[in-house]
């Protein structure tokens, strides 16, 4: 019993000793000022119609005595409206905030930005001023403001053109009704909110150019952590769905990425072309980058990359893929499907025969190449295509590169997903020029497939000598 009493007495003495060491007096020395965890709070690109994300930083009092911050306020010298949360209270101005000696407090910052004068991103600079012992210190606030146009649950009932003056932010979904044409101008950016879709029952003409590509991506413009953009995360928005009865869709120089479903094309008439793609990118999907069902789809110079279920799946219909890259280094889940999946029959008998030609392409990555080991009796034909797999040409494979390595610039650890060819790539000059139409002569970067003579480089991109000396190419 005595031992318990002594332990308790020692505990009380320790508490008394610790409390006696804390100096509750306030310092008024101008040399005793604040220390901040950052000198600038950066908000990346902020859409003027939306609020910023919440950022935080820490204020330290490195003095032994308590310190009184007599005034904290947002300077208000910009078009932004920044708000603070200091010690659990929200506002723009605070008085007499106390920090004990050797202690710290958090400050949270968020804001709204008024519409800016230019349609291009405009830099916004403001600051937070702190007055302590008559000394003013500041933490800078920095953002890039971007005007946007918002579409909420938009259903297009007449022919519509989307222009490139400012990006569009799409909530709920953008629906193109039957017998309606949506035209998307070169250089237009579509930013889709969580789970939003582009649904086409009519016709879409998305015609970009090398210098003015069309971009379809999620609307998170900030960072996941550090310098890692949300843009690398799959599943940021739904994807592009082209329904049965929709024909004559065109995509040129379109970059569609970070979706849930990629591009899905359904049709009940494989004798009418549903979709033509030229020099496009479908990248980073939570399912497939391209899924077709009984549809006629053609693609030239297009990159399909990174998806856990497999890169592309062709369920019946008519497929023509020329100078395409099917690459898979998906980052966020195990890869369970092949780069290219072919299906002709299902239990319900709803699939049409598959008429498929793959020409001058590349299949490579962490997954396996195709789901069919024996294509006898099928109408699937593959010409001059590089495979990671070992194999041999037969009645369905012609002049293919087996166990090849395209030597992509991909570096998963550094979040670089660049599917162009390095020096010594096995895809250089292995394509049949006669299989590449004149219309597909130039790749997405403007490089000439025919410059090297009778053979083209395989895949979506022309190999460029000397690029190995350059870093982080995208």
């Amino acid at each position: 019993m005595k031992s318990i009493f002594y332990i308790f007495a020692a505990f009380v003495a320790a508490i008394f000793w610790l409390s006696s060491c804390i100096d509750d007096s306030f310092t008024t020395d101008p040399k005793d000022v604040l220390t901040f965890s950052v000198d600038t709070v950066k908000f990346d690109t902020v859409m003027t119609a939306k609020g910023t994300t919440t950022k935080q930083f820490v204020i330290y009092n490195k003095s032994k005595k308590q310190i009184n911050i007599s005034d904290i306020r947002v300077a208000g010298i910009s078009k932004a409206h920044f708000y603070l949360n200091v010690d659990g209270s929200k506002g723009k101005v605070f008085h007499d905030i106390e920090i004990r000696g050797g202690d710290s407090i958090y400050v949270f910052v968020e804001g709204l930005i008024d519409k800016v004068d230019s349609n291009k991103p405009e830099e916004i600079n403001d600051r937070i001023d702190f007055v302590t012992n008559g000394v003013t210190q500041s933490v800078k606030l920095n953002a890039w403001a971007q005007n946007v146009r918002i579409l909420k649950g938009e259903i297009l009932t007449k022919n519509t053109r989307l222009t490139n003056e400012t990006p569009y932010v799409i909530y709920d979904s953008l629906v193109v009704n039957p017998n309606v044409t949506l035209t998307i101008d070169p250089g237009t950016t579509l930013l889709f909110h969580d789970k939003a879709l582009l649904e086409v029952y009519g016709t879409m003409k998305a015609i970009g150019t090398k210098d003015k590509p069309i971009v379809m991506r999620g609307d998170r413009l900030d960072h996941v952590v550090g310098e890692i953009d949300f843009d690398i995360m799959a599943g940021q928005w739904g994807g592009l769905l082209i329904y049965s009865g929709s024909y004559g869709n065109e995509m040129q120089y379109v970059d569609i990425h970070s979706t849930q479903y990629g591009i899905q094309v359904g049709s009940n008439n494989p004798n009418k072309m549903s979709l033509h793609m030229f020099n496009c990118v479908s990248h980073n999907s939570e399912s497939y980058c391209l899924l077709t069902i009984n549809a006629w789809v053609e693609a030239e110079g297009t990159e399909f990359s990174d998806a856990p279920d497999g890169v592309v799946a062709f369920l019946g219909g008519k497929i023509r893929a020329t100078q395409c890259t099917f690459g898979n280094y998906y980052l966020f889940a195990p890869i369970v499907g092949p780069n290219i999946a072919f299906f002709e029959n299902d239990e319900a008998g709803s699939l049409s025969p598959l008429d498929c030609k793959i020409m001058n392409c590349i299949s490579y990555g962490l997954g396996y190449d195709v789901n069919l080991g024996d294509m006898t009796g099928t109408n699937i034909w593959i010409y001059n295509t590089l495979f990671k797999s070992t194999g041999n040409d037969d009645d369905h494979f012609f002049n293919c590169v087996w166990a090849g390595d395209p030597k992509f610039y991909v570096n998963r650890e550094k979040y670089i997903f660049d599917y162009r060819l390095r020096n010594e790539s096995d895809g250089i000059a292995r394509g049949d020029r006669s299989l590449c139409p004149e219309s597909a002569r130039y790749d997405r970067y403007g490089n000439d497939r025919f410059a090297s003579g009778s053979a083209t480089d395989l895949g979506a991109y022309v190999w460029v000598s000397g690029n190995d000396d350059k870093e982080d190419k995208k």
Side-chain angles (χ1 to χ4, degrees):
M1 189 69 182
K2 286 184 178 180
S3 62
I4 294 175
F5 172 79
Y6 290 136
I7 291 172
F8 178 74
F11 176 74
V12 171
I15 294 294
F16 177 79
W17 179 81
L18 286 172
S19 62
S20 66
C21 292
I22 298 174
D23 191 343
D24 285 331
S25 62
F26 285 89
T27 175
T28 58
D29 189 340
K31 293 181 181 179
D32 290 332
V33 291
L34 307 171
T35 302
F36 305 99
S37 60
V38 297
D39 59 8
T40 303
V41 177
K42 296 183 178 181
F43 286 94
D44 309 312
T45 301
V46 179
M47 289 177 275
T48 56
K50 297 178 62 177
T52 69
T53 56
T54 300
K55 301 286 186 175
Q56 68 179 40
F57 63 95
V58 184
I59 307 173
Y60 300 98
N61 173 18
K62 295 190 175 181
S63 168
K64 293 181 180 180
K65 296 183 177 182
Q66 290 196 83
I67 203 164
N68 178 275
I69 310 173
S70 57
D71 191 84
I72 301 174
R73 68 180 61 229
V74 178
I77 58 175
S78 69
K79 296 179 181 179
H81 306 277
F82 289 107
Y83 300 92
L84 311 179
N85 188 309
V86 180
D87 243 11
S89 298
K90 185 174 181 178
K92 283 190 171 185
V93 179
F94 299 85
H95 299 292
D96 297 325
I97 302 298
E98 300 174 0
I99 307 178
R100 303 194 75 166
D103 206 347
S104 61
I105 61 172
Y106 279 90
V107 176
F108 298 88
V109 191
E110 59 186 16
L112 292 168
I113 299 179
D114 294 336
K115 187 175 180 179
V116 295
D117 297 330
S118 172
N119 285 327
K120 296 181 179 180
E122 181 177 315
E123 189 172 16
I124 300 294
N125 289 296
D126 213 317
R127 68 176 189 269
I128 308 170
D129 292 332
F130 301 83
V131 180
T132 308
N133 296 335
V135 178
T136 300
Q137 298 171 273
S138 299
V139 171
K140 298 175 184 177
L141 301 173
N142 175 265
W144 286 87
Q146 173 66 68
N147 293 334
V148 295
R149 290 168 285 184
I150 294 178
L151 302 176
K152 289 188 176 181
E154 194 83 12
I155 299 176
L156 304 182
T157 57
K158 61 181 180 180
N159 294 345
T160 302
R161 179 182 295 275
L162 301 184
T163 58
N164 61 16
E165 286 82 7
T166 60
Y168 294 85
V169 179
I170 297 166
Y171 292 88
D172 299 328
S173 285
L174 175 61
V175 179
V176 184
N177 267 3
N179 303 314
V180 172
T181 297
L182 168 64
T183 301
I184 304 176
D185 282 354
T188 300
T189 296
L190 306 182
L191 304 172
F192 292 82
H193 195 60
D194 183 37
K195 297 180 176 61
L197 297 162
L198 175 53
E199 301 183 74
V200 181
Y201 295 88
T203 303
M204 180 186 68
K205 301 289 186 182
I207 311 298
T209 66
K210 176 179 74 72
D211 297 321
K212 293 183 177 181
I214 293 168
V215 177
M216 301 181 186
R217 53 158 291 177
D219 68 344
R220 293 293 301 270
L221 305 180
D222 50 320
H223 291 86
V224 181
V225 63
E227 295 301 313
I228 302 173
D229 293 336
F230 259 102
D231 200 33
I232 74 158
M233 305 287 290
Q236 292 294 301
W237 61 289
L240 169 60
L241 306 184
I242 298 175
Y243 290 93
S244 180
S246 173
Y247 302 106
N249 295 285
E250 288 278 349
M251 297 174 67
Q252 297 183 19
Y253 294 93
V254 177
D255 179 350
I256 175 172
H257 60 270
S258 301
T259 63
Q260 291 175 283
Y261 310 116
I263 302 170
Q264 297 189 5
V265 187
S267 177
N268 54 17
N269 185 356
N271 297 313
K272 293 180 67 176
M273 188 182 294
S274 294
L275 174 63
H276 176 252
M277 303 178 69
F278 173 67
N279 283 358
C280 294
V281 173
S282 179
H283 169 71
N284 200 24
S285 167
E286 281 187 334
S287 53
Y288 295 100
C289 294
L290 173 66
L291 170 66
T292 70
I293 304 173
N294 290 332
W296 178 358
V297 174
E298 296 194 3
E300 296 107 27
T302 292
E303 172 194 320
F304 301 97
S305 58
D306 299 350
D309 291 346
V311 179
V312 297
F314 305 132
L315 284 67
K318 181 178 179 179
I319 303 297
R320 297 290 184 267
T322 307
Q323 300 288 167
C324 292
T325 293
F326 306 97
N328 207 352
Y329 286 88
Y330 188 72
L331 190 62
F332 306 105
I335 298 169
V336 297
N339 288 345
I340 310 170
F342 306 102
F343 297 96
E344 287 200 280
N345 301 301
D346 60 355
E347 293 180 359
S350 60
L351 295 181
S352 63
L354 177 59
D355 174 10
C356 180
K357 289 184 179 179
I358 309 290
M359 299 169 284
N360 291 351
C361 293
I362 292 175
S363 169
Y364 200 83
L366 300 178
Y368 57 105
D369 287 312
V370 298
N371 64 323
L372 296 181
D374 183 3
M375 296 187 183
T376 303
T378 69
N379 197 20
I380 301 170
W381 314 96
I382 301 178
Y383 303 85
N384 296 76
T385 292
L386 182 151
F387 291 105
K388 182 180 180 181
S389 308
T390 57
N392 297 287
D393 290 346
D394 58 21
D395 291 341
H396 291 265
F397 295 85
F398 304 90
N399 300 315
C400 290
V401 179
W402 297 97
D405 186 348
K407 293 183 169 58
F408 295 136
Y409 283 90
V410 171
N411 186 326
R412 294 172 86 233
E413 289 73 23
K414 294 184 178 180
Y415 307 106
I416 298 171
F417 297 92
D418 187 336
Y419 285 90
R420 287 179 281 182
L421 308 180
R422 287 183 180 274
N423 296 342
E424 309 303 325
S425 167
D426 293 329
I428 298 172
R430 302 298 291 271
D432 184 341
R433 177 170 168 173
S434 69
L435 297 174
C436 180
E438 178 68 29
S439 60
R441 177 171 180 166
Y442 296 96
D443 73 5
R444 191 163 62 95
Y445 295 96
N447 300 310
D448 188 354
R449 300 187 194 280
F450 299 165
S452 59
S454 60
T456 69
D457 299 331
L458 300 182
Y461 305 113
V462 176
W463 167 69
V464 177
S465 177
N467 271 355
D468 280 14
D469 298 329
K470 301 175 184 178
E471 297 180 358
D472 297 352
K473 316 182 79 59
K474 278 190 177 178

